[in-house]
Amino acid sequence: GETGVGIETDTGCDIANSEVMDIEGERYAFGIRADSNSRVRSCVVGNIKSGGASCGIQVGEASRVVDSRAASCRGTDEASAGIRTGARSVIFECLSSGNSHRGLWVVDVSRAESNLSEMNGTIGLLADGPDNRIENNTVISNACGIRVTGSGNTVIRNKASGNAVSYGGLEIASNMWGVIASTPTNDPDANLEY
């Protein structure tokens, strides 16, 4: 059909310990799609495919995605991602790997912390909009490791390795970031690239 969905919930739901594989849709495909104020924890999604946008885990605003994995989420549209949140949300201790476009995608006043995003087609971790906190993430072998698009973002203590571009968009007005270092440093907020 036009849209393929593995698990879909309304507002305020808790999805835990679930595995969703092999979902396809002509225009859209979602492994897990939860509305606002929801929590996804300890879930695994993979092989989510669409001729348009594909997303392994997508949650609405004020939600949390914790200790979950998304791999091989492949779509032709740039809105495709392994894990994507709405505003004021958190992605914590997750893995996103081998997705066609973005690995992790947070927007507006959200936090991505202690995640691993590797081998994604465009961006390992995208902080879209203002006032996001990007801390202690590892991005490996993406076209761009970490990219921010708005102002007021904080980017500290991250590690980037093997990306075509390690960090993008930091220079936008009022963003704050730790020094970008390619050699050992004593700065506890440094963002490393190697």
Side-chain angles (χ1 to χ4, degrees), residues 122-160:
T122 59
I123 301 170
L125 196 164
L126 174 63
D128 204 358
D131 302 321
N132 297 292
R133 185 173 184 87
I134 309 304
E135 181 174 359
N136 196 37
N137 299 284
T138 301
V139 290
I140 301 172
S141 300
N142 304 284
C144 178
I146 294 174
R147 176 155 185 76
V148 297
T149 64
S151 61
N153 293 289
T154 300
V155 181
I156 58 172
R157 299 177 41 216
N158 299 287
K159 297 167 207 71

Side-chain angles (χ1 to χ4, degrees), residues 27-104:
R27 293 188 61 200
Y28 307 99
F30 303 92
I32 296 172
R33 183 166 65 178
D35 210 340
S36 61
N37 297 297
S38 293
R39 184 168 65 161
V40 176
R41 57 188 170 89
S42 302
C43 292
V44 176
V45 299
N47 200 31
I48 311 300
K49 297 180 181 178
S50 172
S54 170
C55 194
I57 299 170
Q58 180 171 307
V59 295
E61 64 181 30
S63 295
R64 295 176 61 88
V65 182
V66 177
D67 185 33
S68 295
R69 296 183 308 188
S72 298
C73 302
R74 311 198 68 72
T76 59
D77 192 288
E78 279 200 33
S80 297
I83 301 173
R84 180 179 180 177
T85 72
R88 298 183 317 283
S89 294
V90 174
I91 301 175
F92 182 68
E93 292 186 345
C94 291
L95 166 65
S96 189
S97 180
N99 302 295
S100 62
H101 289 76
R102 292 146 181 165
L104 304 169

Side-chain angles (χ1 to χ4, degrees), residues 172-184:
I172 295 171
S174 74
N175 283 330
M176 297 184 335
W177 65 92
V179 63
I180 297 173
S182 56
T183 58

